[in-house]
Amino acid sequence: MPICKRDGFDNMPSRTRDETFQDNDEVFFCEVTKEIFRDYEDYFRHVMVINSTVWQCEATGRENLTYAEALRSERRARKKMELFKYCLRAPVMLVIESSKQSSLKTLSALVFKFIRKRYFINEEVAACHKTTKYHAYTVIGIVPHTKTPPANGVYEETDKLQYKLRQKGQNEADIIVPFDNIRRQRHEFTTENVHMFIKDNITRVDGILRPKPESYKKYVSDHKVTFQNIFIGKMPHFTPSKTKPSKITSTQDTSKKKQSTLNKYFGKDGEVENDKNVAKGDKKRLQKSDGEAKLLKRVAEQEQQRLEELKRVSELERQKAEKRAKLIERVEAECTALLTKTDDLERTDQRLLPLYKTIKTYIPLKFLGDVFMIREFMHSFPTILSGIDVFPGNLSFYDMSRAFSVREVAGPLSDIILVLLGSVFDMQKEEEDECTVNYLLLRQESRKQEPLITMSQATRAHFYSKRHFSFKINELPIDSLTLSEVLRLHLLSSGAVVRERVEKWRMKCRNGYSSSEDPGLSLRMRHPHILRALKLYTFYQLPYIDILRILRCLISQILTYSSSLSLIEERMEQVSSTRIELRMLLATENMRLSNLQTQKRTLMNEFNQQCMEEYIKTDIEKKKQLEEKLNKKVAELLAQSERERRKFEQQVQSFNSSLFNFMVYLGMDRAYRKYYVLESMPGIFIEHTPDNLDVCLCEPPKNATVENALFSNLANLPKNRKDLRAYLMKMYTNEDKQAAKAEKASKSAKNVDSINNAKENKEDKENLLVNGITNGKEEETSTKNEEQSIETAIKQPPSQYQLFMCTGDPRNCIVHDERNADRQRWAYIYDKDDIDALIEALNPLGERESHLKDQLTTLRQLIVNHCRKCPEDLLTLEDSNQLRKFKSTMMSETNRKYNKANFGFPEDTDINEVMLAALIDRIIQFESDIYTGDLGRLKVKDMVKWRSDLQSLKYDSQVKLQWGANNHKIIANDGDDYEEEEGDDDIEMDIKESGAYANKPFRDPGDTLGDTLEIDSEDSGDELISLHDSNTIRTHVRNCASALLQVEQAIERRFIKKPFGAPLKAVKNKELLEKEQNRGADRLKQWETSLMESTSFSQIFLHLNILHDCILWARSTNKSLCQVCRRGSDEDKMLLCDECNGGTHMFCMKPKMKTVPEGNWYCKRCVNRLGLRNENEENKRKNATQKRKRVFDIEESIDDEMVFVTKESERERGRASGNGRRSIKRLQSNEIEEALVIDDNEAVQDSDEEAEEDSNTEQNDNENSDDDEDNESDKEENVDDDEVDDKKKSEDGSEQDEDDNVCVVCSYDGSDLICIRCKDSFHLECINMKRAPRYNFICSKCKSVNGNEKRSPKSAKSNGRDVLDSSSDEDDEDSEPLAKRARKSRPSLRNSLQNGFGSPRESAKSTSQRRSIRRTGDDLPLNSAALYELLDDVMKHEAAWPFTRPVSQAEVPDYYKIIKTPMDLAKVKSKLNMGAYQLNEEVMKDIQLIFQNCDEYNVKGNEIYGAGCTLEKYVIDQCTRLNLPFKPSDMNAPE
């Protein structure tokens, strides 16, 4: 039975217990005690006592329970106690009797320990014998571990005993098992069972816990159980506990100390049955004694007084009980009110919210929310947006304001849409790289309902782009001029049907995304008028509300791709982990505070214990020392705690800061106003939208006029219901006590005031005659002042309207009336006081405001710091002057970037006019580039008139235009990624297996658009923009398309590349090449068809850009670069290929060319790729071959100048005899051919070296040759007749003398130069020249003899090599080409000793070194071949990945603050391609700069640092191999 204050709940016998009840009698049933009452007053008292009393479970001792909870606890305890093993109850009783303990806890532990170490006879146990499996046995005996019993008869080491067991239900032999192999069932013997059994079966006798007599008799005496019967040996001796002597000496004192029961609450009118019995007995005794009448009367009076007193006391007790019950009811109600959150509009304790500032900007207010969202999106996701660098420092407010207030073609609005659309295209390409995307056309029976119909039509947009442009939509060129058409095609193709494999991949990698959920598909179905408008007009001419719809659509599409989802999930995981760490940090801080209090208590206890010692009590000095030591320890403890607290606050601040970085939406208030904190705009922004509108409440609750003090102090109240209940009970009890004291004080004060008032009245009457007038005025003024003070003190409570609460009137409700004039669509606050006022005014018990208040309270300091930079001047433009000032500032801030947003036209110029002018300029410029670059020519009579007519909008084609396929079939590309399901016979297929496009009519993918499903009321009021079809615009579009068609047909087909031309790679199979050319022509005709069907300027711009990208501009004469040196300088010395217009400097050729050849000339690339041949080279090659064969067939010994031998052969020739004649070695024909091939290969390898020789070197050579002329003029005057004869023999092809190649100065062979006039040979050293001149050499004798005569060119030989004929600069007019000297001759190893030269060995060494230097290119200013080889090898290295591209500022924000001169390999190669370098050292300096930057920014051990170190070592090795100068950085500097 539940107990109250350690007394049982003994119900008094009810007056109606013996009564009988009839059917339909009205009774009162108590559910808790299962009793009925006829009298309501009895029932009420019974229920009040049950509910207002705190109960305790009698079995377990649990406190602070209700009556029902106590009953349930007792029932559960009884069930657990019944599981206690019956055979163990007798040993427990014996131990309790022997232990003589006074503490229940100690007794339970002692009994549990005793029983756990022993098994008793006839107890059922589980044991394992010879196996690991346990079986049920019965203990039949106990075997001691020693034969001799202990001296005292008590076996202490019970774990060494062995037990004799018999298996239950088996006739097998008994077994003996040690203690460790026996165990009990877990539920049969537990600490809880033992404790409850002991508690239920003991009683306290003289302070000692003994078994109850009835329990002891039941378990021990009746069964005659002794300890020796159930165990071996004697019962151990237990140390009895000490008991205190009882202070109660009489039963009378005991009755005084005993606590009263609750029985008095169950009698009516305070009557007690015992008192009645006593009264009746007294009356009988008094009646028997006649002589004691007076005594009887006195006793009766006393009895009457006693009964009245009892009645009065019982009434007071009843009043107290009722008061307490009401108090408990009030406390429970307030606990519920303080702990239960309700809807904000249903609460009656709201406060006034602060007033917000209305936002008034240059952007229309109805677009402000979408504009903020777009800007915030671009600020929050810059890493996934392509081309976001177009906005340095991200999108500014001025850029955004200009985008949605000024209509421009190339303004900030175009950049925004380019960034978003480009990001979508890049994500599509990433998706295609991971999973090939194939689009399908559904069968007719599969597309009978939406959205399948629209999805199938979206597939046709992909087919349209591939058919007419030969590109996918995400591959189309996109800029501000083509943006409208590309955007239209993208929206039309959104949501196209894909194959099942792709759909599964999207479901897996894009979080369940499918094509039917594409935001572009939803836009097409709901607002098709946007796509119709884009077919005729540009994106910039749409109403701003439609522009915002498109921007929202693109943002939604970006957020569906895997890269965006991965970033969002990463941020969510970061937020989740941060919150977990924050909770752990708070828990750690609470533990620290708890440990701090524990340490302080420990120090205080130690101090108190030390002070209790006798020598400390008498010694005051030592006590002071202990106090000082204690204070010092406490101070150190507090100081350390303060440091840890500061560290904790910093960590909490950092965690909140990381959470705040991803916080945008804070919450809503009572009126459904949304609160935002934007990263891109400091401040708290409040949006009051009609999204959450509901109907007004029928009976809205009125706000309380007096604010409850508890709600104002809610933050300091306990959060637990139990603690809150105790807090309120204590508070109200104290209030009642204070009220009682105040009432007594007021009564005493009234008595004193009455006396004082009487005296004052007398004095006033006496003073009235003297100062009556003044007193009257004073009374009037005093009454007025009192009235004013009362008026100011008593303020009118705020109305529901002012509180932003529902008024119940739909016409005058600021919450539910969308058109209410006081509703602020957008507002903001930024001041610290306003933020604090908002936090104070929010209701912590409202469902919406509680969340908002928690967010603001937690992030208050971060929000305040963020709002300090709020641009109030940009958000509050009150009057027209501020608007004009803002506009001028906006235009000036963005003018540097968008000064030509309309291509030079004024700001208010019509967009169609701007697009038309820009298109005409582009077409004319395009035609000019084609014409001046020799890529084609217009087929018109008067080209100037054609251009002027086009510019003056009077276009005249001058010819008959034809376009399209002309009804012949076109073979399409076999590699299309589009398929169509079979069996669709009713739909015209755009793509078949045969790829036949030609016979299919043109069909725009936007022709099947439906009706607009959603029409906003704002559409009609968004600027009066006319987007109807215009004949004038159609005419201009048609004329521009026709002009572009003429330009396209004027281009020669050999200058068009794929997909409209032949492939650039060499195709050896002519049939395959012709097939590819036909395919390109067919695609070009499809391009012509769509061009002539264009309906907007943007479509023509798209066709123009596609055609522009398919032209081989590298073959244009305007952009021709030398194929060898890759420079465009020296245009007058550059030959252009008659096939590809590729340029080659004449001095870069191997061998060099002096004059322009006759007939067609083809570059080496065209010769190798197309198999073309040059006529002049063929003729010269034949002549050279004949000469070589004639020389080697006739002569057994050949001249050095006609034989190509290796260096070894030259060295052997260097070992000639001393008589000045070289040894002659006969070569076979095959050896001669091999030598020629080897030398030709060497000439090809040295072509890049020759390319770097410039005109300055030529001038120096000419000057040197002039100086040689003066020095040698005297020696060259007399010509020997033998030499003349030798020359004649040489010219006639007769036998050649071995002295033909002998220097005329030193008489040694192996000359370097041959005069083209007199055929004399010279060494460079003999005529004081450092190297051979670039052009034909003429000796000083010939110059002096025929200096004034016109020289007739003759062919010559130099160094024994056949070279191409060329002419000098002076003889450009000669028709006969002159022979050009080769770069260097192969000199003989003999020099003249007579002229002061060294030995032949030294001469050979010097010439060999000079030749090797020329071949390696070390003395060249710019060795292009080696540099390109170096860059290619370095960029392919595995460690080059951080250095191939510029460092992204978004990924590394502080890089450009540290590195002032950034450099990368791509930039170095680009500068080399553009001819920005002049010396090898300049290139190597930039490469060195890359590694210097890496060493400066990165730290050793970093991944980038390691890659840079590895790559620099590789560069060092390559530069050593290529003989290039390179200075390593500190990363690899020698120590």
Side-chain angles (χ1 to χ4, degrees), residues 1348-1361:
N1348 298 327
E1349 297 179 1
K1350 186 176 181 180
R1351 301 163 185 161
S1352 59
K1354 296 181 181 180
S1355 61
K1357 301 175 183 178
S1358 175
N1359 289 331
R1361 299 185 184 182

Side-chain angles (χ1 to χ4, degrees), residues 816-855:
H816 299 105
D817 185 10
E818 180 182 357
R819 300 181 180 180
N820 191 288
D822 293 333
R823 286 171 64 100
Q824 295 174 314
R825 182 70 177 267
W826 278 96
Y828 74 101
I829 57 174
Y830 67 94
D831 189 63
K832 178 182 177 181
D833 297 336
D834 294 338
I835 297 175
D836 293 338
L838 174 62
I839 296 175
E840 186 68 23
L842 293 174
N843 196 326
L845 297 178
E847 291 180 350
R848 295 183 294 275
E849 290 190 356
S850 59
H851 175 71
L852 177 60
K853 186 169 185 175
D854 292 341
Q855 293 285 356

Side-chain angles (χ1 to χ4, degrees), residues 1498-1510:
N1498 298 286
V1499 183
K1500 188 174 182 180
N1502 189 6
E1503 182 181 8
I1504 307 298
Y1505 186 92
C1509 187
T1510 303

Side-chain angles (χ1 to χ4, degrees), residues 72 76 441 791 1021 1135 1496:
R72 287 195 297 269
R76 287 194 296 267
L441 273 176
E791 290 178 358
L1135 282 180
E1496 180 179 357

Side-chain angles (χ1 to χ4, degrees), residues 381-397:
F381 298 93
T383 56
I384 63 174
L385 297 179
S386 302
I388 193 62
D389 296 336
V390 73
F391 298 107
N394 222 315
L395 186 63
S396 67
F397 189 74

Side-chain angles (χ1 to χ4, degrees), residues 263-282:
N263 294 334
K264 58 185 177 180
Y265 298 121
F266 293 93
K268 190 175 181 179
D269 297 331
E271 295 177 1
V272 183
E273 195 68 24
N274 293 331
D275 295 337
K276 292 181 180 179
N277 296 331
V278 172
K280 291 180 179 178
D282 292 340

